[in-house]
Amino acid sequence: MLLFLCIALFALTFQAFAHKPQEGTPKPYIHTGEESTLQKLIDATESGGTLVLDKRAYQGSFSISKPITIKGVEGTSIVSLETALEISNTKNVVIEDIELKAEEAGIVATGIHKLTLKNIKVEQGTAGIEISNSTDITLDNVDISGQAGHFATKGHAIAIYKSVNVQASESDISNVLDGFYIERTDDVSLTDNRIQDSRYAIHMMYSDKVRLDFNDVRANLTGLMIMVANDVSITNNSVKKNNTLNSVGIYTYDVNKMVFSDNELSENTVAMDIQDTRNMVIKSNFFSTNGTVIQAKYSGSVSIQDNEFHGNILTARTDEEGVLLQHNFYDDYTGKDYDGDGIGDTNYIATNSFGQWMVRKPVYQYFIESPSVATLNKMDTEVTDHNSLAIIDDQPIVMGKTFNTNFSINGWQFIGSIFVLIAMFIVRRKLI
C-alpha cells in the first residue's frame, strides 16, 4: 500500500511539472532544482515559456534554439571554459539578470528575431557578446569588463554583424578591444553608455541610420570611429581624455550626411579627425583643452557653427577648400565689437603656423607667449587672409563679461540688513 502511494505521488508531481497549459492560459514559470543542469531546464521549458533560475553558478556551455525567457536572481551565474550561452535561429529570446564568466564568449547569437539582453554582466575572456544576422536587438544595462593587458590579447565587448535595428543603453564597458564593434548593421541607436580604457569605444563600419546620444567615452585610444556610413547623428555625448600620442576623440572616414551637435570634447590629443566626409554639420559643441580641435582631410563640405572653443592649442586645419567656420566663440579671439551686436568686427583666423608646430612638438607650448611667437602670429594674420586653405570665421561671437543674476530681497530681509548696518556703525563709534 505504501509503495502504491509513493508511485502515485511521483506520477502526480511529474505530471504537474511537464503539463503544457491549453492555448490562452498563462505561460508557466519553471523553477530550478539544485540537481538539475541548465540545459535540461531549458529543454524542459515549453516554447514561449519562462525559466527562473536559482541563486547559484551553472557550469558548462548551453544552447537555446526556441523562444524563451530566462531570468536569474541576484547571484545567478553561468561559468564556462568555452562559450557560456549560444542562441541560434529562433525568435523572442529574453535573457535577464545573469552574470557570465567564460573563457571564450559570454553569449553568441545568430539568426535571431527579437533578442533582449537585460541586466547582464560579463567577465570577458576571449570575447563578450557576439550577435550576427539578427533583427530587433535590445541591450539594456549590459556591463562588460576585460582583463588587464595589451589590446592584442583582448576581444570586443559587444560585436554585432549584418543585423538591423539595434538599441543599446545603460551599459558600462572597460578594458576591452572595442566597446561596440558594429559592422554592416543598420538602424543603430546607442544611448547613455559608458566606455573607457579600451582601444576604440565605438567602432562602426558600413552602417546607415546611426544615432549616438548621451554616451560617456573617455581614456580610450580613440573615442568614436565611424567609417563608411550614411545618415549619422551624434548628439549630447561626452568625449574626454583620449590623449595618448595618437589618440583621437572622433574619427570619421567616408561618411555622408552627419550631424554632430551638443557634445563636449576635452583633453583629447585630436578632438575630431575628419577624412573624406561629406555634408557634415558640427554645431553647438563645447571644445576645451584639446591639442588640435578639428583637422579635416579630403572633406570639402563641413560646416562648423555656433560652437565654443576654450583653451585649445589649434582650432582647425584643413587641406581642402569648403570647410566653413562661422559664428563660433573663441577664447583667444582678440578682436573688438564696437557696434555691440555680439559679433566681432574683425575675422578670426583658426590656423596659425606655430599652433601646427606645437601639435607636432608639444614641448613648443612653453614658448607660446614669447615675443617671437607673438610676432609670428601677427605675420600669419597678415598673410593668411589670402590663403584659400585658411579657415576663417568672419562672424566670431564676442561674449560679454556681464552676468545676469536674479536677485530679490523681501521686506524683512531688508529691515534686518538695515539693523545690522546700524549696529555695526554704533559698535565702530564706541571703539573709536
Side-chain angles (χ1 to χ4, degrees):
M1 184 64 179
L2 181 60
L3 179 61
F4 176 80
L5 288 174
C6 291
I7 293 172
L9 287 172
F10 177 82
L12 288 172
T13 302
F14 180 81
Q15 183 179 7
F17 179 77
H19 176 65
K20 294 184 179 180
Q22 298 298 319
E23 185 176 357
T25 61
K27 302 295 183 183
Y29 277 68
I30 296 182
H31 291 265
T32 69
E34 285 297 323
E35 301 302 323
S36 301
T37 68
L38 179 54
Q39 190 62 60
K40 289 181 179 179
L41 294 167
I42 292 171
D43 295 342
T45 304
E46 70 168 355
S47 180
T50 299
L51 171 63
V52 180
L53 303 180
D54 292 332
K55 179 181 180 180
R56 56 167 290 193
Y58 296 85
Q59 297 185 2
S61 299
F62 309 100
S63 63
I64 296 172
S65 57
K66 62 183 176 182
I68 191 172
T69 296
I70 300 179
K71 294 184 176 182
V73 296
E74 185 176 357
T76 300
S77 65
I78 298 176
V79 180
S80 177
L81 296 176
E82 299 177 339
T83 295
L85 196 58
E86 294 187 10
I87 310 168
S88 60
N89 303 318
T90 185
K91 62 181 180 179
N92 299 327
V93 175
V94 179
I95 310 295
E96 293 185 13
D97 302 308
I98 296 176
E99 181 177 0
L100 304 169
K101 302 176 182 180
E103 292 294 325
E104 295 182 3
I107 296 175
V108 173
T110 305
I112 313 300
H113 175 60
K114 292 187 178 180
L115 170 65
T116 299
L117 304 178
K118 183 176 181 180
N119 300 332
I120 302 296
K121 183 176 180 180
V122 180
E123 289 188 11
Q124 184 178 346
T126 304
I129 295 171
E130 296 181 0
I131 301 170
S132 62
N133 299 295
S134 298
T135 58
D136 297 348
I137 302 162
T138 301
L139 308 176
D140 184 9
N141 192 27
V142 176
D143 298 342
I144 301 178
S145 59
Q147 305 296 324
H150 192 270
F151 296 132
T153 64
K154 303 177 182 181
H156 305 310
I158 298 172
I160 303 175
Y161 307 89
K162 298 181 181 178
S163 298
V164 177
N165 191 16
V166 176
Q167 299 184 31
S169 61
E170 296 284 350
S171 296
D172 280 296
I173 299 172
S174 62
N175 290 308
V176 296
L177 185 59
D178 296 348
F180 287 91
Y181 179 84
I182 299 175
E183 182 178 330
R184 301 187 185 278
T185 297
D186 298 335
D187 295 314
V188 179
S189 176
L190 306 183
T191 306
D192 202 18
N193 300 287
R194 292 157 296 279
I195 310 162
Q196 63 182 8
D197 299 321
S198 300
R199 185 185 67 166
Y200 306 146
I202 298 173
H203 187 184
M204 188 173 298
M205 297 192 297
Y206 307 105
S207 297
D208 295 340
K209 297 182 181 178
V210 176
R211 302 293 178 266
L212 308 179
D213 305 308
F214 296 98
N215 299 287
D216 188 335
V217 173
R218 64 182 62 212
N220 303 283
L221 184 60
T222 295
L224 312 179
M225 178 171 282
I226 314 297
M227 305 173 66
V228 196
N230 182 64
D231 189 8
V232 179
S233 174
I234 302 177
T235 64
N236 296 290
N237 299 279
S238 176
V239 182
K240 299 181 178 180
K241 297 185 178 180
N242 305 287
N243 53 20
T244 58
L245 181 60
N246 297 310
S247 287
V248 178
I250 313 294
Y251 177 85
T252 67
Y253 176 79
D254 195 9
V255 177
N256 180 51
K257 193 180 178 183
M258 179 174 181
V259 175
F260 187 86
S261 67
D262 299 290
N263 303 283
E264 180 179 357
L265 290 86
S266 63
E267 300 182 60
N268 302 289
T269 304
V270 175
M272 301 188 71
D273 189 348
I274 303 165
Q275 298 194 26
D276 195 18
T277 297
R278 303 161 300 284
N279 303 314
M280 182 176 190
V281 176
I282 303 172
K283 69 175 185 177
S284 303
N285 301 285
F286 186 88
F287 298 99
S288 67
T289 59
N290 300 284
T292 298
V293 179
I294 298 170
Q295 61 182 24
K297 300 178 181 179
Y298 316 113
S299 301
S301 55
V302 178
S303 175
I304 307 167
Q305 60 191 43
D306 298 315
N307 303 281
E308 292 189 31
F309 297 86
H310 296 265
N312 305 288
I313 295 176
L314 182 64
T315 301
R317 58 181 179 180
T318 183
D319 64 350
E320 189 166 332
E321 297 182 38
V323 177
L324 175 64
L325 199 67
Q326 190 172 52
H327 206 255
N328 302 283
F329 170 77
Y330 313 92
D331 66 338
D332 59 345
Y333 176 64
T334 57
K336 304 297 181 183
D337 177 24
Y338 293 109
D339 56 6
D341 63 353
I343 304 297
D345 297 329
T346 55
N347 294 339
Y348 173 81
I349 301 174
T351 305
N352 62 74
S353 301
F354 182 74
Q356 296 198 41
W357 293 344
M358 191 162 48
V359 168
R360 293 174 173 83
K361 296 286 186 179
V363 70
Y364 286 2
Q365 65 185 299
Y366 297 112
F367 304 100
I368 194 167
E369 293 297 334
S370 68
S372 58
V373 171
T375 302
L376 178 61
N377 289 338
K378 289 182 180 180
M379 294 172 61
D380 272 341
T381 302
E382 294 299 324
V383 301
T384 305
D385 279 326
H386 307 290
N387 183 356
S388 61
L389 295 181
I391 306 178
I392 299 174
D393 191 338
D394 61 358
Q395 296 182 10
I397 296 175
V398 178
M399 286 190 175
K401 295 183 179 180
T402 58
F403 297 91
N404 295 322
T405 304
N406 294 324
F407 179 77
S408 63
I409 184 169
N410 60 38
W412 288 108
Q413 288 175 324
F414 178 75
I415 293 171
S417 299
I418 294 297
F419 274 115
V420 170
L421 291 174
I422 292 173
M424 291 175 64
F425 178 76
I426 293 172
V427 171
R428 179 178 175 83
R429 288 290 298 272
K430 287 183 176 181
L431 292 175
I432 294 174

